[in-house]
Amino acid sequence: MSATPFSLLIRQARILLPTGDFLVGDVGIRDREIVQVAPDLGSVPEEVLDAEGLTLLPGAIDPQVHFREPGLEHKEDLLTASCACAKGGVTSFLEMPNTRPLTTDQSTLDDKLGRAQQKCLVNYGFFIGATSACSPDLLSANPTPGIKIFMGSMKGDLLVDQSEVLERIFATGRRPIAVHAEDQARISERRQLFVGETNPAVHSQIQDSQAALNATVQALGLSKKYQRRLHILHMSTGVEAELLRQDKPSWVTAEVTPQHLLLNTSAYEQLGTLAQMNPPLRTPQDNQVLWQALLDGVIDFIATDHAPHTLEEKARGYPNSPSGMPGVETSLPLMLTQAMQGRCSIAQVSHWMSLAPAKAYKIPNKGVIAPGYDADLVLVDLNSYRPVRREELLTKCGWSPFEGWNLTGWPVVTIVGGQVAYDRGNLRKEVRGQALTFN
Ligand code: DOR
């Protein structure tokens, strides 16, 4: 044993325990791992973090992000995105395949993993994208959390909207399938009804609730037919949530974004095209039903769908403006603010943003503060409120749909694999995360 038993000691934090209770105490970390949690660990290691007054949570895992590298680095890259993650308390992310080139085989996956190893301050995993060609790499490429299928809202090779192809993908292999569930045929048809419309609010009418429901029904049917592990990405409508409440096989999970919980079609008035995303924002009634589904466990966890586009791109005007909004810097404080306002508990937020995605994608040793777990942690301040300010954002796109929202629970220190990656406004850019594994 070394002279001091810990490489990092967090002193006197309000620690979220696996039971959901809090303990004011110390967390001892050796290298990448939590080794002890106790009221007072006493000894003095090389690095001590005084956490008095702060709350210690497992680092957030964001299971759906678009980080744009390679090929679209003018919007974001793995360094800027992972800095934003560290600042937002996100210690692991799962990234989507719609980069350039598309991530559809082992070599494009390896390229992303290599880039992340060079640049990422937090832990990383990358989905493999399905195409109509059904490459054998879909089943063999490693490591990946699963196969991403864009059933709609996508152009080019990643759009997989033919029933026969979907059937083949669901029928072949066992790895998890994550779907962007929107019915492309319905969207294309409805787009014709709104030709010439430049008000971005029509986006929610073109890509309507029925388009989302149709695709979710189809994916659920295929998942049941083949007993294939299915994850429904960014569920946006009350009707989908109610469908799932009636009929959710044990191998199906679903997620919701903070924006689908907290924003609705009224946001277009103030935000214009900044409120444009896929699937679109819905009604206040949808917000309510989604919240209830999350509280009841019908929806399993939260993802941001961080999808940065530049302000210039957003300024092109509807329908030429791209869909998507950033999220990794604001998701944890947004949800913790909801908890502090009594809408849910801190333990629930932590479950939805750490343990539940870890379990769903079988990422080992994450999401719990206990000996033997990875030291991916975030200290948050639940005692003060601060607004989301554009000038403080680290995402390269430089804006947030939540600007001006007064939030609590902002990360103060973020720890990735036992190393401090973010500390009171300062990034330690030399810190590197690791490639996630999926058991
Ligand atoms: O709004 C969206 N934008 N939804 C998606 O699923 C993709 C994303 C993007 O990559 O811009």
Side-chain angles (χ1 to χ4, degrees):
M1 209 195 251
S2 60
T4 54
F6 311 122
S7 49
L8 176 64
L9 180 65
I10 303 171
R11 293 282 272 169
Q12 296 306 291
R14 182 170 165 257
I15 304 162
L16 178 67
L17 299 175
T19 55
D21 299 321
F22 288 94
L23 165 80
V24 175
D26 298 353
V27 174
I29 294 162
R30 193 182 306 133
D31 304 326
R32 307 193 74 88
E33 196 180 301
I34 298 169
V35 288
Q36 241 180 313
V37 180
D40 184 2
L41 287 173
S43 75
V44 183
E46 280 157 31
E47 201 171 359
V48 182
L49 271 176
D50 174 11
E52 230 176 289
L54 301 176
T55 299
L56 187 67
L57 305 174
I61 298 173
D62 193 332
Q64 195 198 167
V65 298
H66 302 265
F67 282 172
R68 310 304 191 199
E69 183 174 348
L72 300 162
E73 289 92 340
H74 67 285
K75 298 175 195 275
E76 192 80 280
D77 63 55
L78 288 168
L79 177 61
T80 54
S82 67
C83 287
C85 283
K87 178 160 164 276
V90 174
T91 51
S92 299
F93 66 80
L94 303 180
E95 206 258 357
M96 288 298 165
N98 56 329
T99 39
R100 306 285 181 273
L102 309 174
T103 317
T104 52
D105 57 21
Q106 185 69 57
S107 73
T108 45
L109 177 63
D110 285 342
D111 175 60
K112 267 192 183 171
L113 287 162
R115 290 166 182 270
Q117 189 183 21
Q118 297 289 315
K119 293 187 169 180
C120 273
L121 280 71
V122 302
N123 306 309
Y124 43 87
F126 298 101
F127 278 89
I128 184 133
T131 65
S132 306
C134 289
S135 143
D137 285 20
L138 258 198
L139 301 177
S140 61
N142 255 316
T144 183
I147 298 169
K148 164 74 181 275
I149 305 180
F150 283 93
M151 298 172 73
S153 284
M154 184 46 65
K155 292 191 184 103
D157 287 349
L158 280 185
L159 176 66
V160 179
D161 60 348
Q162 300 144 290
S163 300
E164 324 78 71
V165 182
L166 288 167
E167 182 106 22
R168 219 166 104 203
I169 297 170
F170 273 82
T172 315
R174 299 179 58 83
R175 81 173 9 160
I177 293 174
V179 291
H180 178 130
E182 287 191 278
D183 173 352
Q184 188 57 43
R186 182 175 172 93
I187 293 172
S188 304
E189 215 175 276
R190 289 183 65 76
R191 195 165 294 287
Q192 299 312 309
L193 306 176
F194 294 88
V195 171
E197 266 290 357
T198 57
N199 181 349
V202 300
H203 190 63
S204 295
Q205 295 178 53
I206 295 170
Q207 302 191 195
D208 66 353
S209 293
Q210 190 65 46
L213 181 64
N214 290 354
T216 291
V217 166
Q218 187 180 17
L220 209 52
L222 288 168
S223 166
K224 286 201 287 190
K225 182 168 174 187
Y226 296 104
Q227 302 212 344
R228 183 67 181 263
R229 168 89 182 89
L230 169 69
H231 177 66
I232 301 164
L233 298 157
H234 44 39
M235 186 168 269
S236 63
T237 70
V239 278
E240 290 167 284
E242 287 307 302
L243 170 75
L244 220 57
R245 186 185 289 280
Q246 301 305 322
D247 183 16
K248 189 185 178 204
S250 59
W251 58 88
V252 173
T253 52
E255 73 186 28
V256 64
T257 67
Q259 48 279 35
H260 287 113
L261 291 172
L262 300 171
L263 299 176
N264 52 58
T265 47
S266 68
Y268 290 112
E269 203 177 316
Q270 204 196 332
L271 297 176
T273 58
L274 300 187
Q276 178 192 334
M277 71 170 293
N278 299 331
L281 298 177
R282 308 296 184 190
T283 66
Q285 168 72 10
D286 288 294
N287 295 151
Q288 297 265 335
V289 179
L290 291 169
W291 255 109
Q292 197 56 51
L294 182 64
L295 289 168
D296 294 342
V298 173
I299 295 177
D300 300 84
F301 51 85
I302 287 173
T304 65
D305 192 20
H306 180 93
H309 298 284
T310 66
L311 285 166
E312 292 73 35
E313 289 165 336
K314 283 288 195 181
R316 281 181 206 146
Y318 196 80
N320 301 315
S321 42
S323 294
M325 41 180 96
V328 292
E329 268 163 284
T330 47
S331 53
L332 188 58
L334 277 168
M335 293 307 296
L336 290 173
T337 300
Q338 295 296 310
M340 292 307 279
Q341 292 174 355
R343 223 158 171 198
C344 57
S345 69
I346 303 286
Q348 281 174 309
V349 170
S350 176
H351 180 77
W352 299 327
M353 297 188 70
S354 297
L355 186 59
K359 277 191 167 162
Y361 288 110
K362 300 200 168 135
I363 305 169
N365 301 326
K366 304 235 184 261
V368 175
I369 304 179
Y373 282 83
D374 292 347
D376 294 342
L377 299 162
V378 58
L379 277 167
V380 299
D381 178 4
L382 291 165
N383 302 313
S384 62
Y385 277 74
R386 212 176 67 233
V388 178
R389 291 196 189 100
R390 180 174 287 198
E391 56 277 18
E392 289 176 11
L393 295 168
L394 298 180
T395 172
K396 199 182 277 187
C397 74
W399 60 274
S400 162
F402 298 105
E403 280 166 42
W405 285 46
N406 205 26
L407 304 181
T408 188
W410 286 99
V412 178
V413 179
T414 304
I415 297 163
V416 180
Q419 305 168 80
V420 174
Y422 173 81
D423 186 356
R424 297 173 172 85
N426 299 309
L427 286 162
R428 297 203 190 156
K429 286 195 182 171
E430 69 284 4
V431 168
R432 289 291 168 272
Q434 285 192 323
L436 295 168
T437 57
F438 311 94
N439 283 341

